[in-house]
Amino acid sequence: MTELFDFTGRGERTVLIMNVNPIAPTGAAAFHPDAVYRVNVDTDGDHRADVAFSCVFSPPTETEQTVTVYRATGEQARAHEAAGEPILTDVPVSFGTEPAVAESGPYLFFAGFRSDPFFADLDGIVNKFRWTGVDWGADKNVFGIVLEMPHAELGTAPEIGVWARVSLWQDGQLTSVDRGAHPSLTAYFNAEDVKETYNAGEPADDWDTYREPWTAVLQHFGGYDRQAAEQALRTVLPDILRLDRG
């Protein structure tokens, strides 16, 4: 997963975008057919999913792939499986330059190959945040998933919280292999031996779990005192994007 976006569109509508595979199509020529690509929405401020949209893709051929999108609410929204009601079925994935946008009821949807250059100073990350200014992502592409809907589909509260997750079926079990909202948090802050635990976790537990170790990272590499470090971390923990639709 590379980025997650949430913003308001025209006509009282909410737009959710999840991008994956930062070196498409080199890293992968299609969406993974054994994966569940999921966008979670918190509508009441408790950092838990109340609505979730899951995308499941067919095995690709040389030129085609389709996707079915499910909408789950309540307890089903908090599971990692593709649960709930299918709101779009067997929608073609766009592999060309022209986006094919599907419409079903109040929803507009797109999934496919897109140019999306993004700034990523990878050498600076591994060099303990000593930035080089070299933009690794300037010429990269992604696979994007876009869903647009009326605000009312995500509750009546003006503010919502959004995060994404990618899970993969392996040996009969669904494993969360990536999750987050703010870009590159786990790459910046988590040691390799805790990244799997982070990916499997839930935002509701982020502050209690990561406040101490991430405060230590900011103190060590950024020269923060404890109070300043905790204040900075409150902007990214829990790892949820907040959108005020009011």
Side-chain angles (χ1 to χ4, degrees):
M1 189 167 64
T2 62
E3 304 98 6
L4 178 70
F5 303 95
D6 57 359
F7 54 91
T8 57
R10 292 178 293 181
E12 300 294 312
R13 293 175 69 84
T14 301
V15 182
L16 307 174
I17 301 177
M18 175 187 187
N19 289 339
V20 297
N21 188 1
I23 52 174
T26 303
F31 291 93
H32 202 303
D34 295 325
V36 177
Y37 299 86
R38 189 177 183 92
V39 179
N40 303 282
V41 183
D42 169 24
T43 65
D44 58 12
D46 66 353
H47 313 314
R48 300 183 185 277
D50 300 295
V51 183
F53 299 94
S54 298
C55 297
V56 178
F57 292 83
S58 69
T61 67
E62 290 187 4
T63 58
E64 296 181 344
Q65 187 175 34
T66 62
V67 54
T68 296
V69 184
Y70 299 85
R71 181 183 188 270
T73 59
E75 288 301 315
Q76 285 189 323
R78 298 179 183 181
H80 295 176
E81 293 82 1
E85 173 190 4
I87 57 173
L88 297 112
T89 303
D90 296 332
V91 175
V93 174
S94 296
F95 290 116
T97 58
E98 293 298 323
V101 178
E103 183 172 0
S104 177
Y107 298 99
L108 295 175
F109 176 80
F110 163 86
F113 185 54
R114 292 283 86 188
S115 172
D116 184 26
F118 54 95
F119 185 86
D121 188 344
L122 298 188
D123 291 334
I125 294 173
V126 300
N127 195 31
K128 299 179 180 180
F129 305 156
R130 295 182 178 90
W131 306 116
T132 67
V134 176
D135 184 2
W136 175 88
D139 59 349
K140 302 302 188 293
N141 302 306
V142 299
F143 285 125
I145 297 171
V146 183
L147 188 62
E148 179 184 319
M149 73 207 76
H151 288 341
E153 291 294 305
L154 301 175
T156 58
E159 184 175 270
I160 60 173
V162 181
W163 69 101
R165 184 184 302 276
V166 180
S167 300
L168 187 64
W169 286 104
Q170 298 173 314
D171 299 324
Q173 294 195 352
L174 189 63
T175 301
S176 178
V177 295
D178 202 359
R179 69 102 173 171
H182 300 90
S184 302
L185 275 188
T186 190
Y188 287 134
F189 286 103
N190 283 328
E192 287 297 324
D193 60 352
V194 299
K195 287 181 179 178
E196 289 186 5
T197 300
Y198 182 83
N199 290 335
E202 299 293 340
D205 302 318
D206 281 350
W207 182 254
D208 290 340
T209 304
Y210 298 104
R211 176 183 59 183
E212 290 295 334
W214 290 18
T215 293
V217 171
L218 289 178
Q219 289 177 308
H220 181 71
F221 293 117
Y224 288 72
D225 62 34
R226 184 177 184 83
Q227 182 177 359
E230 290 197 0
Q231 183 177 358
L233 288 177
R234 287 189 181 277
T235 66
V236 295
L237 287 178
D239 190 6
I240 295 175
L241 293 183
R242 288 291 170 189
L243 175 63
D244 187 347
R245 305 177 299 168

